[in-house]
Amino acid sequence: MNAINVKSEIKPLKKVLLHRPGKELLNLTPDTLERLLFDDIPYLEVAQKEHDEFANILKDNGVEVVYLEDLMTDVLEINSDIKETFIRQFIYEAGVRTPKYRSLVYEYLLSISNTKELVLKTMEGIKIDDIVKEEAILGTSLVDMIEPDSLFVCDPMPNLYFTRDPFASIGNGVSLNKMYSVTRNRETIYAEYIFNYHPDFKDKVDKYYDRYNEFHIEGGDILNLNSHVLAIGISQRTNANAIEELSKNLFNDPDCLIDTVLAFDIPNSRAFMHLDTVFTQIDYDKFTYHPGIMDTLNVYEITKNDNKIKVVLKEGSLEEILEEYLGIDVTLIPCAGGDPIASEREQWNDGSNTLCIAPGVVVVYDRNNITNQVLRDNGLKVLEMHGAELSRGRGGPRCMSMPLIRED
């Protein structure tokens, strides 16, 4: 079996990558919310219970759940050279530039004997108090006297539980993403090491995009419509240049079946940060969407033309475009049934961000009760989970999961 096999959004989900929220959420403060891309501070204990409920729903439905922190622990336990290389790269990407602090963080991380604790510490952030006592800092240099105003020498990564974004499974390969913000781009270091060194993935996964590329792209904008057609959102977080580069790489791989990329130009806003926050597939012939995108949505077809790409603006409604590429009649189901107030509210809480685990079976937040009833009325099996705290990060069940294997 391939290490990665994802050629649709709806076929039975067999293996998925999650990250259980950790102490990184405790290290959010009101002053750092904007920089760390949060709107509010989740209550960690409840967020973890909600996330465990999510994982149990998946397991109860035959899905193997693997955790980012566990895979990374496996990698660092392979040998000491990988561990040391990772620590040095982590320190550099965390922006630790003064020799004194580089040395202190390096020694501190090396001193953590339990490998999983080391991994979790890199995720939760490193406080200045973790590495040196205040009296040892003050008075030694200008940098040392100024630095204590910052509580962290390495910022936390609170968005990590949205595993959809750092990389995206595409067919039998991945797009290892260059993310929109410095805050989130650091998250992709874990996937880099997992794909380079973990025995389950090393030399078994095609890489169609790399985190060191120039243009930003995120997994929440990437949807596998079928084995031949990939949908990508042009959004706040994904650049058109990245879509063109990814398309070329897909088309030039003789083992890749994708021959068409549909680029969906969606509004650039916090509320519509990714394509999957406004549009997801939930059955062979059904999609849920947010009505607010319809008046401004343009769809572009990207195909291979000799050794270049050809881009065409598609004419027709969203239904007509989807029907053309799927070859069947399509039903679009609006968030909250299209009610203007309810759809705005429930979309903000990811009413359209469903995780389909089998055709017509979706995992959703229970708080979006109007949308959930509309889905049931349209024949969907709806598996509800609590999300009062998890939703504060502006992401739903699809955002919190990266499928690794779906049945063909």
Side-chain angles (χ1 to χ4, degrees):
M1 180 179 289
N2 292 304
I4 299 287
N5 189 69
V6 179
K7 298 173 183 174
S8 81
E9 292 292 313
I10 60 170
K11 295 296 181 67
L13 182 60
K14 307 307 294 181
K15 186 175 182 179
V16 69
L17 177 73
L18 306 182
H19 167 63
R20 188 174 190 259
K23 293 180 181 178
E24 60 271 12
L25 295 188
L26 296 180
N27 288 332
L28 282 166
T29 67
D31 289 341
T32 61
L33 285 177
E34 182 176 359
R35 177 162 55 85
L36 298 178
L37 307 179
F38 265 69
D39 297 308
D40 200 354
I41 301 174
Y43 177 25
L44 177 60
E45 182 179 344
V46 176
Q48 289 179 328
K49 290 179 180 178
E50 292 172 351
H51 197 273
D52 291 342
E53 179 187 3
F54 178 42
N56 287 332
I57 289 173
L58 297 176
K59 293 173 186 176
D60 290 345
N61 284 273
V63 183
E64 178 187 357
V65 174
V66 296
Y67 287 92
L68 180 70
E69 52 270 34
D70 292 335
L71 295 181
M72 191 62 195
T73 299
D74 294 342
V75 167
L76 296 190
E77 289 182 340
I78 292 173
N79 63 57
S80 58
D81 289 343
I82 294 175
K83 181 178 178 180
E84 179 169 347
T85 301
F86 166 74
I87 289 175
R88 293 189 182 279
Q89 183 177 344
F90 168 82
I91 291 170
Y92 178 81
E93 294 194 13
V96 184
R97 293 294 181 265
T98 60
K100 175 175 182 175
Y101 282 102
R102 283 202 304 267
S103 176
L104 288 171
V105 174
Y106 175 76
E107 293 171 3
Y108 172 70
L109 292 175
L110 273 185
S111 72
I112 302 175
S113 58
N114 183 289
T115 308
K116 186 169 182 178
E117 288 182 10
L118 166 62
V119 171
L120 293 176
K121 189 61 186 177
T122 63
M123 295 175 171
E124 74 183 56
I126 300 173
K127 302 174 186 176
I128 290 180
D129 288 350
D130 290 332
I131 61 173
V132 67
K133 299 297 183 182
E134 183 177 355
E135 58 269 20
I137 289 182
L138 295 177
T140 58
S141 73
L142 177 62
V143 171
D144 292 336
M145 294 178 72
I146 296 298
E147 198 69 26
D149 287 341
S150 172
L151 297 175
F152 288 90
V153 66
C154 299
D155 272 345
M157 301 188 213
N159 297 278
L160 267 174
Y161 71 89
F162 299 124
T163 54
R164 179 68 58 162
D165 299 319
F167 74 91
S169 299
I170 303 173
N172 299 128
V174 297
S175 170
L176 181 54
N177 297 326
K178 166 72 174 288
M179 299 183 76
Y180 172 73
S181 67
V182 173
T183 292
R184 294 213 66 187
N185 201 46
R186 293 171 54 217
E187 298 174 26
T188 63
I189 188 174
Y190 303 109
E192 178 182 20
Y193 275 76
I194 289 167
F195 290 126
N196 284 345
Y197 298 109
H198 197 286
D200 289 352
F201 300 96
K202 181 182 178 182
D203 300 324
K204 299 177 183 178
V205 177
D206 295 322
K207 189 185 294 182
Y208 298 124
Y209 202 82
D210 194 86
R211 69 191 297 260
Y212 299 103
N213 290 1
E214 180 179 359
F215 304 110
H216 51 82
I217 185 170
E218 299 193 358
D221 281 313
I222 298 176
L223 282 69
N224 293 272
L225 294 183
N226 57 41
S227 59
H228 290 276
V229 183
L230 190 71
I232 308 181
I234 309 169
S235 71
Q236 183 190 57
R237 307 288 180 88
T238 294
N239 185 280
N241 291 288
I243 297 174
E244 288 197 351
E245 189 169 336
L246 174 59
S247 299
K248 291 175 184 176
N249 295 338
L250 293 169
F251 298 156
N252 290 332
D253 181 353
D255 296 324
C256 181
L257 298 178
I258 293 171
D259 52 37
T260 303
V261 172
L262 297 179
F264 289 71
D265 192 2
I266 65 176
N268 188 328
S269 77
R270 172 71 169 156
F272 303 159
M273 73 177 79
H274 290 130
L275 181 60
D276 71 0
T277 63
V278 295
F279 176 73
T280 51
Q281 188 174 8
I282 53 178
D283 203 346
Y284 291 106
D285 59 348
K286 296 182 180 71
F287 293 77
T288 181
Y289 74 99
H290 177 52
I293 68 169
M294 299 304 282
D295 292 338
T296 60
L297 185 66
N298 286 318
V299 181
Y300 300 87
E301 178 198 68
I302 305 173
T303 54
K304 186 174 182 178
N305 184 22
D306 295 326
N307 291 322
K308 300 180 180 179
I309 61 172
K310 179 182 178 181
V311 182
V312 176
L313 173 62
K314 297 296 295 183
E315 301 290 338
S317 67
L318 180 58
E319 293 101 319
E320 291 169 340
I321 293 171
L322 292 171
E323 288 170 353
E324 176 184 347
Y325 292 95
L326 297 181
I328 56 176
D329 292 338
V330 165
T331 299
L332 295 183
I333 303 172
C335 183
D339 178 274
I341 300 298
S343 64
E344 291 283 346
R345 182 185 69 254
E346 295 202 352
Q347 188 274 334
W348 180 249
N349 291 312
D350 295 286
S352 297
N353 190 257
T354 57
L355 174 64
C356 188
I357 61 171
V361 182
V362 293
V363 184
V364 299
Y365 283 148
D366 63 346
R367 64 187 301 158
N368 298 312
N369 58 297
I370 299 175
T371 298
N372 296 346
Q373 187 57 50
V374 171
L375 295 178
R376 291 188 179 96
D377 293 342
N378 278 271
L380 278 294
K381 181 178 180 180
V382 177
L383 305 176
E384 292 185 341
M385 60 170 287
H386 294 94
E389 297 303 316
L390 292 173
S391 65
R392 295 179 190 271
R394 303 276 71 81
R398 189 180 192 274
C399 291
M400 294 188 297
S401 58
M402 175 41 64
L404 300 176
I405 297 175
R406 288 187 184 269
E407 289 183 7
D408 283 338

